[in-house]
Amino acid sequence: MDKFLLLIELFSVISFSQCARILGVFQMPTISHQSVFQSLWKELSLRGHTVTVITPNPLKDPSLINLTEIDINYTYEIMERHGFQFFMSKELPIYTKIPRIFSLNYELSEEILKNGEFIKLYNNSNEKFDLIIAQTYVCPIMYSLSAKMKAPIIGVSSMGGWTGSHFAMGNPSPPSLYSEMFLPYNGEMSFYERFCSTLYYLWTRYFLTFEAIPKSDKIARKYLGNDIPYLGEVEKNLSVLFLTTNPILYTPRPTVPTIISLQQLHIKPKKALPSDLQNILDDAKEGVIYFSLGSNVKSINMPERIRNVLIEAFNELPYTILWKWESDDLPDKPKNVIIKKWLPQQDVLGKLIVIISYL
Ligand SMILES: *[C@@H]1O[C@H](CO)[C@@H](O)[C@H](O)[C@H]1NC(C)=O
Ligand SMILES: *[C@@H]1O[C@H](CO)[C@@H](O)[C@H](O)[C@H]1NC(C)=O
Ligand SMILES: *[C@@H]1O[C@H](CO)[C@@H](O)[C@H](O)[C@H]1NC(C)=O
Ligand SMILES: *[C@@H]1O[C@H](CO)[C@@H](O)[C@H](O)[C@H]1NC(C)=O
């Protein structure tokens, strides 16, 4: 929280002397990523900065007069087509996942670089930005805008930093000590886990150096022209990288001073629950269990075998279960299970006895 206040203070010092023109590029079409960035671009615009963002989840709030949003919500279709939630499944080996995440990101980045409204921005030599804020995920293509538009760049991740980002920021990242966000390890690792983490690290460095970064560089050049430095160098030029991990959930690790954890940027002021939901919670005398796999991984896509195990287990409980289930009916739904396609998660959380989700 201190770091976050520091950030706000930093921006208010800047705005004291002069309001900045800021370009935000947030390319991942998933609401759980975007809701983190929404707070950032909204707050910056409210503080008088002139903010232009490209995002698949625009706020569309007419009261934000200093904010221009370029809507790329059509990229949700790309995410579906690549089958993100399926290729990230636990059973698949990591060396198949990373190349597929990159393929997805090549296409998402190209879709932005081809966007008419966006071309007008970077192709207009009168359009000067004081700062670019870009989503840090795995693929650095969009960082090339900082080289093209000659503006300093800050990276913001809606989660932790991955191997490539730590490397680019010059942050020591010994794989025998710290696991990686795409690996299923957390806390102190066993010898076997350290060994796998090290292999993964070596493979990632190889894949990035010889395949992913050269390919990303080619894509950036195809749209922005050849007068930009190599993308691998641009990636090392991030002024600051903001992460949003919380040490309660992740192993704390040392970072260079230019990597700063913002932690709970996504937390919004509390709102009253819709009355139907409030009634459900009031009626649940024994307490409520909340079950959600998030926005990317849909409960409706879980194998029938697992669904049946859950249904059987829930059926035996005296509690009310709120299940984020993305369809109108759940076969064999027990009476104590209530399904909703979407829930105001943050406002419900305070009223639960157990939360079932995954990290
Ligand atoms: C818009 O920016 C101006 C300064 O550029 C600031 O004074 C004003 O409060 C901002 N208004 C809103 C609604 O963001
Ligand atoms: C994209 O935005 C349009 C207009 O607001 C809306 O009709 C459409 O449902 C949205 N599509 C997705 C995939 O969010
Ligand atoms: C970009 O700008 C150049 C020169 O200003 C112009 O020739 C070119 O057609 C523009 N490209 C696009 C895609 O707008
Ligand atoms: C790094 O950033 C500085 C300042 O914004 C800029 O002058 C320099 O050209 C950039 N270098 C690369 C490789 O992007």
Side-chain angles (χ1 to χ4, degrees):
M1 199 60 200
D2 286 0
K3 299 277 167 46
F4 182 56
L5 291 177
L6 193 71
L7 167 73
I8 301 283
E9 234 149 42
L10 190 76
F11 284 123
S12 44
V13 170
I14 297 169
S15 63
F16 175 70
S17 51
Q18 159 192 44
C19 295
R21 293 178 51 78
I22 301 173
L23 173 64
V25 187
F26 304 104
Q27 70 273 18
M28 281 301 277
T30 102
I31 184 65
S32 53
H33 291 235
Q34 296 293 327
S35 68
V36 176
F37 307 127
Q38 283 174 340
S39 313
L40 189 63
W41 78 67
K42 177 175 177 183
E43 192 57 33
L44 287 171
S45 85
L46 284 174
R47 279 160 197 263
H49 300 293
T50 306
V51 181
T52 303
V53 293
I54 178 145
T55 169
N57 291 92
L59 293 165
K60 295 191 178 162
D61 177 349
S63 73
L64 299 172
I65 51 169
N66 299 317
L67 175 65
T68 310
E69 292 170 312
I70 299 178
D71 186 355
I72 48 160
N73 81 347
Y74 55 89
T75 55
Y76 268 96
E77 177 273 320
I78 298 176
M79 195 82 173
E80 287 280 315
R81 179 154 43 76
H82 280 252
F84 183 71
Q85 81 159 105
F86 300 104
F87 72 65
M88 289 306 279
S89 116
K90 190 170 106 232
E91 289 77 24
L92 295 176
I94 193 95
Y95 56 82
T96 65
K97 291 178 192 174
I98 305 290
R100 294 188 74 164
I101 297 177
F102 266 90
S103 300
L104 167 65
N105 273 269
Y106 299 146
E107 197 174 336
L108 290 172
S109 305
E110 286 200 73
E111 213 49 63
I112 296 178
L113 292 166
K114 283 199 294 219
N115 180 291
E117 272 180 273
F118 200 58
I119 291 176
K120 269 195 225 139
L121 270 185
Y122 69 68
N123 203 24
N124 178 356
S125 52
N126 296 322
E127 191 80 75
K128 287 261 176 281
F129 288 97
D130 303 308
L131 176 67
I132 294 177
I133 301 180
Q135 174 172 13
T136 292
Y137 188 55
V138 289
C139 175
I141 295 180
M142 299 316 296
Y143 296 170
S144 52
L145 288 172
S146 111
K148 183 71 184 177
M149 302 175 100
K150 303 206 171 9
I153 179 163
I154 287 179
V156 191
S157 166
S158 57
M159 42 173 95
W162 93 295
T163 302
S165 307
H166 284 292
F167 177 78
M169 294 303 287
N171 196 43
S173 200
S176 58
L177 280 182
Y178 304 109
S179 174
E180 217 275 333
M181 66 182 194
F182 293 118
L183 289 176
Y185 316 138
N186 200 8
E188 205 174 317
M189 290 186 281
S190 66
F191 178 77
Y192 173 74
E193 289 172 345
R194 285 163 200 257
F195 179 71
C196 293
S197 171
T198 305
L199 281 186
Y200 166 79
Y201 180 82
L202 295 173
W203 175 82
T204 311
R205 296 283 316 118
Y206 173 85
F207 174 72
L208 282 175
T209 311
F210 296 106
E211 205 175 317
I213 303 291
K215 173 131 200 217
S216 303
D217 181 69
K218 272 214 193 87
I219 293 174
R221 276 163 209 280
K222 177 173 161 199
Y223 293 93
L224 300 177
N226 255 324
D227 57 339
I228 47 174
Y230 183 62
L231 192 60
E233 294 307 308
V234 178
E235 190 184 14
K236 292 180 184 160
N237 215 18
L238 246 59
S239 303
V240 183
L241 171 61
F242 290 125
L243 307 178
T244 40
T245 40
N246 190 307
I248 291 175
L249 299 174
Y250 297 90
T251 316
R253 55 184 291 173
T255 52
V256 290
T258 45
I259 297 185
I260 298 169
S261 182
L262 298 178
Q263 299 182 18
Q264 50 271 58
L265 197 58
H266 60 291
I267 296 191
K268 313 245 169 10
K270 208 167 142 192
K271 283 200 296 274
L273 289 173
S275 56
D276 63 328
L277 205 51
Q278 186 63 54
N279 292 342
I280 292 169
L281 293 174
D282 290 345
D283 292 346
K285 295 287 171 267
E286 302 290 332
V288 179
I289 294 178
Y290 176 70
F291 180 84
S292 166
L293 299 178
S295 55
N296 282 324
V297 180
K298 310 233 178 332
S299 289
I300 44 167
N301 292 329
M302 74 168 63
E304 198 181 333
R305 177 177 54 84
I306 297 180
R307 190 183 74 211
N308 287 338
V309 170
L310 283 168
I311 287 178
E312 243 172 71
F314 288 159
N315 197 16
E316 284 172 18
L317 295 174
Y319 314 111
T320 299
I321 289 90
L322 267 182
W323 186 337
K324 180 185 168 285
W325 175 261
E326 302 82 6
S327 149
D328 287 324
D329 54 35
L330 166 64
D332 305 321
K333 185 177 80 61
K335 270 216 292 295
N336 61 334
V337 171
I338 302 201
I339 52 172
K340 294 258 175 210
K341 289 183 192 162
W342 190 255
L343 284 143
Q345 177 167 285
Q346 209 182 289
D347 300 313
V348 178
L349 288 188
K351 321 227 166 12
L352 309 170
I353 51 170
V354 172
I355 298 159
I356 308 175
S357 193
Y358 73 104
L359 270 182

